[in-house]
Amino acid sequence: MPYRRLPNTDQARIRALKAAVTNSDAHHYVDDLAISLKTLGEARMFLSKFEIAQGYYKSCYEEQANASRRHQTNVKMARLYISHFIQVLNMAVIRSEIKASQKTLYGLAADDYSVPDLTSEAAMVEWGQKLIKGELLRTSQGGTPIYNPAIAKVKVHYDVFMEGYEKQKGLQALTNRSLEELASMRARADELILDIWNQVEAKFQDVTPNEKRLDLCRAYGVIYYYRKGEKNDN
């Protein structure tokens, strides 16, 4: 005998509920319904809310994904300029154009000539801010500005990156909240689907042959699976 299994995705839950509501609406007489009017009303109202929640989450996710692709271009440019500025600063120290002790103004160790790890965006936020602040402080003390790249050029790319960074955080927060709202509705969706399926199977329990009974149930969204070795006549 085939067995039934509740949907495990939101889209499958929507299909199951929609099948039950649509098939019920096609019947003109209450006695022909396989689902009680109370359950049908609850399913109809819930389906509308669930579809809206699922659509909103999808919209938030797609907007975040699209913005992320654009943001990554700005991330690469900002990382390049931050890294390049640190390398030029280190070269200036090696050439004795800038005192090694002044590297501490940028948050860099005087005796360390490596470029900090800029893999994460959080690190870029930190080091971009340190470089801009450090260069402003050093030049305010009479130091010669670093060129190629100038800190103004670094700041342009850093600011563009920061704008995208903050926007991404906002979009991610929206996506997370919409997912939490959607996830909170799944238990109720499964509860309704289970109740509908139980009522549908009870309605058609005496129908023969068995495959006809299964087809009548499937029309209301009941999903059946055949075990390995069982014949699927459909």
Side-chain angles (χ1 to χ4, degrees):
M1 286 288 292
Y3 65 97
R4 67 186 196 186
R5 187 167 63 200
L6 286 172
N8 57 9
T9 68
D10 294 324
Q11 197 59 45
R13 290 181 177 95
I14 288 173
R15 283 197 301 269
L17 288 168
K18 190 171 289 186
V21 171
T22 301
N23 198 45
S24 296
D25 288 344
H27 291 83
H28 302 292
Y29 300 102
V30 175
D31 290 343
D32 293 335
L33 292 176
I35 307 169
S36 71
L37 289 176
K38 178 179 179 295
T39 301
L40 181 58
E42 291 175 349
R44 184 179 286 109
M45 289 182 61
F46 179 83
L47 175 60
S48 177
K49 294 177 182 178
F50 196 57
E51 283 187 297
I52 290 172
Q54 202 256 359
Y56 181 59
Y57 165 68
K58 184 178 179 182
S59 175
C60 289
Y61 180 83
E62 288 176 350
E63 185 177 357
Q64 181 190 340
N66 290 335
S68 178
R69 284 191 287 271
R70 294 190 296 271
H71 177 57
Q72 287 309 309
T73 299
N74 299 327
V75 170
K76 290 178 182 178
M77 288 300 294
R79 182 180 290 120
L80 177 66
Y81 273 84
I82 291 172
S83 174
H84 193 191
F85 186 89
I86 294 172
Q87 293 175 60
V88 171
L89 172 62
N90 282 331
M91 290 299 296
V93 172
I94 291 172
R95 293 194 299 266
S96 299
E97 296 170 357
I98 295 176
K99 294 179 180 179
S101 60
Q102 290 185 305
K103 288 177 61 179
T104 58
L105 298 175
Y106 303 86
L108 296 164
D111 59 349
D112 186 356
Y113 290 85
S114 62
V115 176
D117 184 3
L118 300 173
T119 303
S120 71
E121 292 187 23
M124 291 173 59
V125 171
E126 175 188 354
W127 284 105
Q129 187 177 49
K130 285 181 176 179
L131 296 183
I132 293 168
K133 182 180 178 181
E135 181 70 351
L136 178 62
L137 186 57
R138 188 182 64 80
T139 54
S140 69
Q141 295 173 354
T144 302
I146 290 175
Y147 294 100
N148 195 29
I151 198 64
K153 188 72 172 179
V154 175
K155 189 175 185 302
V156 167
H157 289 286
Y158 178 75
D159 287 346
V160 171
F161 155 71
M162 282 301 299
E163 182 180 352
Y165 177 76
E166 293 299 335
K167 182 178 181 181
Q168 277 298 108
K169 286 203 300 183
L171 290 174
Q172 179 149 21
L174 276 177
T175 301
N176 289 342
R177 282 198 296 271
S178 65
L179 179 58
E180 287 173 4
E181 175 65 23
L182 182 63
S184 71
M185 301 174 75
R186 289 170 182 158
R188 178 54 179 159
D190 292 343
E191 181 183 333
L192 273 170
I193 292 169
L194 181 59
D195 185 25
I196 290 169
W197 288 8
N198 287 341
Q199 290 185 44
V200 168
E201 289 195 329
K203 172 74 173 181
F204 300 121
Q205 62 183 342
D206 296 326
V207 173
T208 56
N210 187 58
E211 202 57 40
K212 181 180 179 181
R213 180 182 66 82
L214 294 179
D215 286 341
L216 288 170
C217 293
R218 288 188 182 105
Y220 281 89
V222 183
I223 302 171
Y224 291 105
Y225 293 88
Y226 287 86
R227 294 177 177 82
K228 186 176 181 180
E230 285 185 333
K231 182 181 179 182
N232 183 348
D233 296 330
N234 288 337

